[in-house]
Amino acid sequence: VYPAPPDVGISTISTPTDTCQYGYFDQMELWVKNYGYNRMRAGDTIILGYNFESDPAILSTFNLVSDLAPGDSVRFTVPTTFDVDAAGTYHLNAYTLIEDDPWFYGTNNDTLSYTFQTWLNPVTGLLDTISSRQPDTLFIQPIIDPQYSYLWGDASTATSYDVSAPGTYYLTVTEGVHGCKTYDSVYIELLFNDVGIDSIIWPQSACELGSAEQVQVQLRNFGTDSLIIDDKIVLYYQVDGGPLVKDSLTLDVPLYSGARRWFTFTHATENFSTPDTYSIKTYTDYGGDTVTSNDTLSRSITVFGYYDLNLGRDTIVPALSYTINPESPQLVSYLWSDGVTTGARTIDRSGSYTLQVVDVNGCPASDDMAIWFRIRDISTVGLLSPQSSCNRSGTEPVRLRIQNTGSDTLQLSDNIQLSYRIGSTPRVTETIHVAGLKPGQTYDHSFAGNVNLTAFGNYVFNLTALAAGDLRTYNDTLDTLVYTNTNPVVNLPIDEDQTYYQTEMLFDAGTGANYGYSWQDGSTGRFFTATNRGTISVTVTDTVTGCHGSDSKFLNLDILDYMVTAVALDATSCAGAYEDVDVTILNNGNLLRQGANITLNYYVNSVLLFTEHFETTGIWQAGDSRIHTTLNTLVLEGESVANLGVDLTVSGDLRPENDLFERSISLLPSPEVDLGPAAQEVVFPHTLTVPGGYNSYQWSDGSTGTSFTATRIGTYAVTVTGSNGCRTTRTVYLTDDLALNQLAGDRIQVSMYPNPAQDVIHIEAELEDPGTYILEVISSTNGVVLSKEFNDLHYSDELEVSGLPSGLYFIRIRNAQMYHITKMVIQ
């Protein structure tokens, strides 16, 4: 005796129900009954499915929240997407999928068929807008149907409506059998004439206007009706209440409602050359004009004139600076010829200065002024004798150089007082007279007597030059330091018989207050770092006295150093495995080597992959490279970048800082191919599919499509090559046990505009799954009026719909697994 299997079925479908047009159901409500002999327990799984029209089946899974006794029913609510806008009859099949043996009880009670209707809404046929000069003579007449009832906005119920005034009129039409309603409206527009002036184009307020300006205005059709060709409009204007000026315009093209047109009075001109405020009045005269309030337009304009800018007369100034202040509340901006943007400014250099200003009315003005500074100034330039030295032999004269650094010539009658003092010794002063010492010229003066500076040491000379009326005293005095020194002593600490096993050696040439340095390589610092064998030499010079010392020795450095300089992988490479990769190793030392034993460690993203050894014999010159080819496989993985590292190790290497070679490699994506698990149970024939959009496909039987149908047990492989040249190979083993594939979800997104459409509608679709899709335009009666096939994941197209009748349509995009439907209205 075996226990009876469970038996549940659909007993009742309560929604969706019959509805008016434009209905939408987002759920289905149904009752599931236990037809079996056994009680079903809480937590048992119920699988429900349904087919709506010819759409693919949809499955939903539920768990019982309580026990279900034999003969009892439970209600379930299933999410749906039933779009039933179009009028007609719709068919639905709902069923359960849990029995081990669906025919155990003798009949199939799993499936229930259900039919419901969508009723057509009334059609009104009203226009959107009706224009008339006599709206009260109009009747609004919708489509008449004996089964329709009519309700207007004022609660009247006649089949037509007698219009009394312009405005919007609303209508509700109800179908008598099912109570379906349609809401509509019509706008009644009153046509009338109204012409006026909406702006005065010219003249406008300005800094300056001429003596023969023409007045220009802009006409506007303020009415709702158009003015036709040969209609005449009379225009007038007057200035400051003076005589009327008349002109007229005969239309050569229609002036539509809301349109504007410029008009120039050509029969007269006006004099606006005098700065003043003027009143201008303009108006129109047109037969049939129904609104006079906009016929006249008045406006005042101002002729401002230009600001009177006066910087003053050209001048000579016996001073170091001169202030100009042209600022005024009437001025808003200043720009001098040298870029200064302030009004008031202090000038300390001779020259011509131009100022451009703008007043509060935006009117420009300019003026210029020449200023010459007559400045008395004598300065001490320097000490000519004695100079710093390391080989003095006796006394020396004191010679001083002065310069006329002013802008005024010094005459013979001008007293110039010169003096010097050495340290704290008494000051020596002498008065001289120089004939015609012009600005910029220098003069050299020798004092009476000599000085003795033969003793080693530093001597400070304080020098002065004074003249009557000198305006700059800061340059009158100069302190000069004079040295009496010995020659610098230099000794490089190098043992020429010794070999130094190090990468560098630091040398110090010694220090002095005024030392300058010149090494064998041209460098000029106190310190020098040698990084190779060779001659080291330096000359140290006292820059004040010119005295110098030098030394030169041969340095024997032996630097052992190897480094990886390159790996033969492109900076942009495909993700995957690489064999026989060339690694370039450089003898980065300074001497040739007879052989080397090098260890190489390989890392990817800081993870050690493997270690290899590179041994070489024979002469390896410094600066030369040798190639090592990898013996293991380099695997480059990662989302976008693989950080490759090669770490070199060799005994005696003196530069460990360059032992690690690193390279960041941008990985090109290889094709994403997924054939599923490596071993699968399927029903033959079974189709294997890979994503489309790649350059080429190669299956194990030589076929080149995106899919392959296997008919027997075996191993199958595919190689997919992308547009970037990268390849991916996948292999799968198939056996003949039964497998169930789940239906794919909705993975299509669609947008279209404009909607409603009249002539052309633009459609864009974003598709997540590659493959072939079909786009269909379906009428509200389910007829396919247009069909297109495409393969783009980002689809964009324009559909010509002007030839289709007005009404409701559907855009459906589908493939063998899924579909998407969008409503479209054609007006």
Side-chain angles (χ1 to χ4, degrees), residues 453-586:
L453 306 181
T454 55
F456 292 126
N458 302 332
Y459 301 88
V460 179
F461 281 76
N462 179 262
L463 312 170
T464 64
L466 304 175
D470 194 316
L471 294 177
R472 299 191 188 103
T473 59
Y474 62 84
N475 57 12
D476 294 345
T477 302
L478 177 67
D479 286 332
T480 300
L481 184 62
V482 177
Y483 299 88
T484 301
N485 291 340
T486 59
N487 287 317
V489 177
V490 183
N491 183 22
L492 296 174
I494 298 176
D495 184 351
E496 294 185 314
D497 295 329
Q498 179 180 346
T499 298
Y500 297 90
Y501 296 96
Q502 56 195 72
T503 59
E504 61 184 35
M505 182 177 288
L506 177 67
F507 296 96
D508 183 356
T511 182
N514 303 290
Y515 279 6
Y517 307 89
S518 178
W519 295 87
Q520 77 285 343
D521 67 343
S523 59
T524 58
R526 170 185 167 184
F527 299 96
F528 175 78
T529 300
T531 58
N532 205 345
R533 65 198 304 267
T535 298
I536 308 299
S537 62
V538 63
T539 297
V540 181
T541 302
D542 186 329
T543 58
V544 175
T545 64
C547 303
H548 59 85
S550 61
D551 192 14
S552 177
K553 293 179 181 177
F554 183 82
L555 173 66
N556 187 18
L557 282 183
D558 187 347
I559 303 172
L560 177 67
D561 180 34
Y562 295 95
M563 63 182 295
V564 175
T565 59
V567 176
L569 288 174
D570 293 337
T572 300
S573 300
C574 298
Y578 291 86
E579 297 179 348
D580 300 326
V581 178
D582 288 341
V583 179
T584 302
I585 303 174
L586 171 69

Side-chain angles (χ1 to χ4, degrees), residues 570-632:
D570 293 337
T572 300
S573 300
C574 298
Y578 291 86
E579 297 179 348
D580 300 326
V581 178
D582 288 341
V583 179
T584 302
I585 303 174
L586 171 69
N587 178 359
N588 196 45
N590 66 333
L591 299 175
L592 63 84
R593 304 297 170 187
Q594 294 295 329
N597 188 349
I598 298 172
T599 300
L600 299 171
N601 297 310
Y602 297 84
Y603 299 85
V604 173
N605 296 330
S606 301
V607 176
L608 177 65
L609 297 184
F610 51 84
T611 299
E612 296 182 341
H613 297 282
F614 173 59
E615 296 185 14
T616 181
T617 58
I619 295 176
W620 190 349
Q621 294 286 354
D624 285 352
S625 296
R626 294 194 176 180
I627 303 298
H628 168 67
T629 301
T630 58
L631 306 174
N632 295 277

Side-chain angles (χ1 to χ4, degrees), residues 663-683:
R663 160 75 75 75
S664 180
I665 299 176
S666 296
L667 296 181
L668 294 175
S670 296
E672 296 183 4
V673 181
D674 185 7
L675 295 180
Q680 301 176 29
E681 296 178 351
V682 299
V683 175

Side-chain angles (χ1 to χ4, degrees), residues 753-762 797-802:
Y753 56 89
N755 190 9
Q758 290 183 336
D759 299 319
V760 175
I761 188 164
H762 186 81
D797 197 2
E798 284 189 350
L799 298 183
E800 174 67 42
V801 296
S802 60

Side-chain angles (χ1 to χ4, degrees), residues 116-383:
F116 64 95
Q117 287 186 318
T118 295
W119 303 306
L120 183 67
N121 287 339
V123 179
T124 64
L126 292 182
L127 297 175
D128 290 336
T129 303
I130 301 175
S131 301
S132 174
R133 287 185 175 274
Q134 295 178 308
D136 57 355
T137 65
L138 298 177
F139 283 87
I140 304 175
Q141 179 71 58
I143 295 175
I144 306 300
D145 191 300
Q147 293 185 350
Y148 293 174
S149 63
Y150 302 85
L151 178 63
W152 297 90
D154 61 354
S156 62
T157 58
T159 56
S160 62
Y161 192 87
D162 187 2
V163 176
S164 60
T168 302
Y169 292 83
Y170 299 92
L171 173 63
T172 301
V173 181
T174 304
E175 183 265 330
V177 177
H178 304 106
C180 297
K181 297 179 181 294
T182 296
Y183 302 93
D184 205 351
S185 65
V186 60
Y187 176 69
I188 307 300
E189 179 184 38
L190 173 65
L191 297 177
F192 63 91
N193 289 331
D194 180 18
V195 180
I197 295 176
D198 72 349
S199 59
I200 298 175
I201 305 301
W202 190 257
Q204 302 280 348
S205 293
C207 301
E208 180 182 40
L209 291 176
S211 59
E213 301 284 352
Q214 290 183 326
V215 176
Q216 189 177 45
V217 298
Q218 180 168 269
L219 295 172
R220 181 178 177 182
N221 184 352
F222 291 97
T224 58
D225 203 1
S226 299
L227 277 63
I228 63 175
I229 296 174
D230 292 334
D231 277 0
K232 183 175 182 180
I233 305 170
V234 180
L235 299 98
Y236 302 87
Y237 80 83
Q238 61 182 165
V239 177
D240 290 338
L244 281 174
V245 176
K246 176 182 178 181
D247 209 335
S248 64
L249 169 64
T250 300
L251 295 177
D252 54 353
V253 294
L255 187 64
Y256 298 110
S257 175
R260 296 172 173 85
R261 178 165 177 172
W262 285 16
F263 176 78
T264 302
F265 289 86
T266 59
H267 298 333
T269 60
E270 300 295 331
N271 184 359
F272 297 106
S273 60
T274 303
D276 202 350
T277 297
Y278 299 88
S279 176
I280 303 175
K281 178 180 180 181
T282 63
Y283 53 94
T284 61
D285 182 9
Y286 174 72
D289 194 314
T290 58
V291 180
T292 60
S293 59
N294 53 25
D295 294 349
T296 303
L297 181 65
S298 297
R299 192 182 69 189
S300 293
I301 67 164
T302 300
V303 179
F304 304 111
Y306 295 100
Y307 181 80
D308 185 14
L309 178 65
N310 185 10
L311 297 180
R313 302 168 63 181
D314 298 346
T315 184
I316 297 176
V317 181
L320 293 176
S321 62
Y322 181 78
T323 299
I324 306 175
N325 187 6
E327 291 186 353
S328 168
Q330 297 298 314
L331 300 178
V332 296
S333 71
Y334 308 84
L335 179 60
W336 294 87
S337 52
D338 57 356
V340 176
T341 57
T342 60
R345 62 175 301 185
T346 298
I347 296 172
D348 59 3
R349 182 173 297 180
S350 299
S352 179
Y353 293 84
T354 301
L355 174 63
Q356 295 179 344
V357 298
V358 176
D359 66 12
V360 292
N361 299 313
C363 300
S366 65
D367 193 21
D368 57 56
M369 179 183 185
I371 300 175
W372 185 77
F373 290 98
R374 188 170 62 192
I375 301 172
R376 175 66 62 89
D377 182 35
I378 192 75
S379 62
T380 302
V381 175
L383 181 66

